[in-house]
Amino acid sequence: MRILIVGGGVSGLGLANRLAQHGIIATVIEKTGGYGGVGFTLKLWPFGTNQLQRMGFQDDLERVMAPFIKHKAMTSSGNQLVSMTGDPFSTYGSTVTLKRKDLMEILLGGAKRRGVEVKFNTTVERIEESEDEVTVTLSDGSTDTYDLVVGADGIYSQVRKIVFGSMPLNFTGYVGYAWWLDPSEWPTVEGTQEYFGSGKLFGVYTSKDAMCVFCVFPGPQNSPKQKDERIDHVISVFSDFGGIVPDVLRRLKLLNKPDELFYHDYRSAY
């Protein structure tokens, strides 16, 4: 069976590995040139870690993961709402945090060892479906036929656009920012700390040898447009938060490069 997976993210490479375990070697195409520093910290719940174990990646996972240690949820002023110590979901499997980059390296390495071809800087240009096969033209000019084409290329899916037509993506009214912290400067912070305000979230997430901040709040798209103004904007939005947030924001002020502050606006197809 010939399968093309469009999108070499977590789902695309995860599917390629599982198929290879059953003797089906798919081809994966990915529009980016590599994974590099794309993404921040991920929390994998038992379903995710169980799947990685079934793919044979338990040793790889243990090398890069941090186990579920502690989770605290606070009000914006820093008053505790919920505190969990240890893994409350251990009955079902392990809950861990890790960098997305590390997860992608595990999945990509496994796929390549299993004979999966992964083509970077490549996307779909044309899809023609007949009764018993699909003919696909790629951005590199090549054309081939497959029994199945899987669209795993995210919210801006080129596969969906070609097959079903353009679908408007509606701005939800929320924007998000993320950036890295040096964990050696925060030795007392363990696990996850999340602060909830009116329509706002500010979270600090630790993984092995890494720590990231993620925050989300209502706001207009791509505002402020100037990257060097965004740091001051985030600081202003969360200026009334307590707990460790003021200290984290003071450290944000020292960020050397505005590009190190990742911006995303949230859109929905519904």
Side-chain angles (χ1 to χ4, degrees):
M1 187 175 189
R2 302 195 68 198
I3 297 178
L4 174 67
I5 300 173
V6 183
V10 174
S11 58
L13 287 179
L15 175 60
N17 275 283
R18 288 294 277 162
L19 287 171
Q21 287 181 301
H22 293 276
I24 301 172
I25 306 301
T27 297
V28 179
I29 62 172
E30 165 60 34
K31 67 180 181 181
T32 66
Y35 301 112
V38 175
F40 285 82
T41 297
L42 298 177
K43 186 179 290 293
L44 288 183
W45 303 97
F47 180 81
T49 55
N50 290 343
Q51 288 298 319
L52 288 173
Q53 289 166 7
R54 292 187 183 105
M55 294 179 203
F57 296 139
Q58 179 62 31
D59 291 342
D60 298 290
L61 185 60
E62 290 182 355
R63 178 172 45 82
V64 298
M65 74 178 193
F68 191 112
I69 299 174
K70 186 178 294 185
H71 181 102
K72 288 185 178 181
M74 272 84 65
T75 65
S76 60
S77 60
N79 294 322
Q80 184 171 288
L81 295 169
V82 176
S83 178
M84 292 184 288
T85 301
D87 189 346
F89 309 107
S90 57
T91 300
Y92 309 101
S94 301
T95 303
V96 304
T97 57
L98 74 166
K99 291 180 286 188
R100 184 182 186 274
K101 176 179 178 291
D102 290 338
L103 177 58
M104 296 309 304
E105 288 178 354
I106 290 173
L107 293 171
L108 178 61
K112 287 184 173 180
R113 288 193 298 271
R114 290 174 167 135
V116 175
E117 181 183 14
V118 181
K119 297 181 178 181
F120 289 99
N121 294 309
T122 308
T123 188
V124 173
E125 294 291 335
R126 189 173 182 179
I127 298 175
E128 296 175 283
E129 187 176 6
S130 64
E131 187 173 334
D132 55 3
E133 65 182 16
V134 184
T135 301
V136 180
T137 302
L138 303 180
S139 57
D140 61 7
S142 63
T143 299
D144 214 333
T145 57
Y146 300 90
D147 300 298
L148 176 67
V149 175
V150 178
D153 48 343
I155 191 171
Y156 301 104
S157 173
Q158 180 73 354
V159 173
R160 183 184 63 220
K161 181 179 179 181
I162 292 173
V163 175
F164 299 107
S166 297
M167 181 179 294
L169 297 176
N170 303 309
F171 178 52
T172 62
Y174 282 85
V175 298
Y177 288 87
W179 65 96
W180 292 108
L181 293 175
D182 182 349
S184 67
E185 298 177 356
W186 307 87
T188 62
V189 178
E190 294 181 299
T192 297
Q193 292 192 26
E194 294 180 319
Y195 296 80
F196 296 88
S198 179
K200 296 186 283 188
L201 163 69
F202 191 100
V204 179
Y205 307 89
T206 61
S207 58
K208 189 172 184 178
D209 302 323
M211 181 181 294
C212 82
V213 180
F214 169 75
C215 61
V216 62
F217 52 90
Q221 282 181 278
N222 202 31
S223 178
K225 292 184 178 181
Q226 300 301 319
K227 292 182 179 180
D228 57 358
E229 296 177 2
R230 289 178 174 174
I231 291 176
D232 289 336
H233 181 56
V234 172
I235 292 173
S236 174
V237 168
F238 291 97
S239 62
D240 59 338
F241 274 47
I244 66 170
V245 177
D247 289 335
V248 173
L249 293 177
R250 278 191 286 272
R251 175 57 60 182
L252 173 62
K253 187 71 175 177
L254 301 177
L255 203 65
N256 293 325
K257 301 176 183 178
D259 285 341
E260 294 176 353
L261 179 65
F262 174 80
Y263 165 84
H264 183 71
D265 56 65
Y266 292 93
R267 305 184 189 189
S268 171
Y270 303 100

